[in-house]
């Protein structure tokens, strides 16, 4: 078990980001909460990371550590040189394709790398590419792929390293558009050149492909995924909560 703090000066508000209803926001009965198929708080200090809304628990690959978090007391810390990641095999709950679906994660990137993954469903074969959310140079990139593995759209937003950020990405079946928001910035929908695939690729946090590559070097948590709903600007602002997140 690894727990580190790395000298972070975190914005803590008594350790709590209140929802106003006394319980976790993901149980508040809203359309956003009801759309969740997985919510990973990353609060475990090692090994399996549990899904708080279902059974999509994440396998620890190569001993992923823990670090002081921003939203919750702990987040996960990935060391790229150790090939660390979290993953779960394909299942119906996590399947996407040509439907409304969305992803979100708090992340902190430590060092430069060619390509570093936050969250993906992107397998080793061309027909196992679904989506990829991660860092390329000074930007966060959200890309989707068709059923033969060709990229059909990308939404790109700049960010700064060595700080906590919040990403929300979605695919809308209406007009086949995708969009990405960083730190509650406005969505700028991008049209795709076709429908995204629904594949047998595993869902991975901190890496992509099989065997895994594109490892994240930094912190992630919490992370979440929803279906049959598109987050509104109000939803994103609710989750971002002025930069301290929502529990």
């Amino acid at each position: 078990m690894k727990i580190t703090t790395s000298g972070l000066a975190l914005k803590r508000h008594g350790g709590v980001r209140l929802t106003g209803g006394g319980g976790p926001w993901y149980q508040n009965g809203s359309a956003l909460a009801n759309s969740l198929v997985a919510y990973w708080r990353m609060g475990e200090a090692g090994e399996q990371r549990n899904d708080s809304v279902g059974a999509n628990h994440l396998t620890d690959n190569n001993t992923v550590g823990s670090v002081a978090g921003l939203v919750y007391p702990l987040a996960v810390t990935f060391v790229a040189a150790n090939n660390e990641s979290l993953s779960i095999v394909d299942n119906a709950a996590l399947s996407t394709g040509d439907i409304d679906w969305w992803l979100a994660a708090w992340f902190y990137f430590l060092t430069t790398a060619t390509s570093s993954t936050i969250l993906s469903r992107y397998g080793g074969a061309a027909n196992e590419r679904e989506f990829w959310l991660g860092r390329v140079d000074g930007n966060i990139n959200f890309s989707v792929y068709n059923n033969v593995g060709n990229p059909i759209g990308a939404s790109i937003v700049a960010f700064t390293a060595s700080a906590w950020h919040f990403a929300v990405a979605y695919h809308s079946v209406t007009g086949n558009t995708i969009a990405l928001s960083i730190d509650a910035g406005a969505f700028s929908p991008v049209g795709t050149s076709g429908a995204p695939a629904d594949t047998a690729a595993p869902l991975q946090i901190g890496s992509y492909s099989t065997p895994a590559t594109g490892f994240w070097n930094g912190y992630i948590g919490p992370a979440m995924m929803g279906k049959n709903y598109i987050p509104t600007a109000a939803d994103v602002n609710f989750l971002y909560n002025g930069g301290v997140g929502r529990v």
Side-chain angles (χ1 to χ4, degrees):
M1 178 180 72
K2 300 180 297 181
I3 302 178
T4 60
T5 58
S6 301
L8 288 177
L10 302 179
K11 294 187 289 183
R12 306 298 300 179
H13 292 243
V16 177
R17 278 75 171 147
L18 295 176
T19 65
W25 77 265
Y26 49 82
Q27 295 176 355
N28 68 12
S30 66
L32 179 69
N34 289 343
S35 75
L36 286 168
V37 296
Y39 186 86
W40 300 285
R41 292 176 51 157
M42 307 299 189
E44 299 78 16
E47 301 182 353
Q48 176 177 286
R49 267 59 173 199
N50 293 325
D51 176 8
S52 295
V53 300
N56 293 300
H57 310 310
L58 300 170
T59 297
D60 180 331
N61 304 304
N62 295 321
T63 315
V64 177
S66 294
V67 67
L70 175 70
V71 181
Y72 295 103
L74 294 179
V76 290
T77 177
F78 296 99
V79 179
N82 294 342
N83 294 354
E84 297 174 0
S85 68
L86 301 169
S87 64
I88 180 173
V89 297
D90 175 45
N91 66 66
L94 300 177
S95 294
T96 59
D98 196 20
I99 62 171
D100 292 338
W101 51 272
W102 62 277
L103 317 165
W106 283 90
F107 66 92
Y108 189 112
F109 189 71
L110 288 172
T111 57
T112 58
T114 302
S115 176
S116 303
T117 309
I118 299 172
L119 202 155
S120 73
R121 288 198 62 179
Y122 187 117
N127 63 356
E128 293 181 332
R129 297 172 186 169
E130 220 168 290
F131 63 80
W132 186 86
L133 175 67
R135 174 195 176 275
V136 179
D137 298 323
N139 301 307
I140 298 299
N141 183 311
F142 173 54
S143 297
V144 295
Y145 303 82
N146 63 17
N147 59 9
V148 292
N150 294 327
I152 57 173
S155 183
I156 301 170
V157 179
F159 85 111
T160 56
S162 300
W164 280 103
H165 297 283
F166 182 56
V168 182
Y170 72 73
H171 169 264
S172 172
V173 71
T174 303
N176 272 323
T177 57
I178 62 172
L180 172 65
S181 166
I182 300 296
D183 297 337
F187 286 119
S188 296
V190 175
T192 66
S193 58
D198 175 15
T199 76
L203 183 143
Q204 300 178 68
I205 295 179
S207 67
Y208 77 99
S209 196
T210 307
T213 189
F215 296 97
W216 188 253
N217 208 61
Y219 320 137
I220 295 176
M224 63 205 81
M225 180 176 181
K227 288 167 56 173
N228 302 311
Y229 183 74
I230 299 300
T232 65
D235 291 329
V236 175
N237 280 312
F238 171 81
L239 294 176
Y240 185 62
N241 197 18
V244 299
R246 185 76 60 174
V247 300

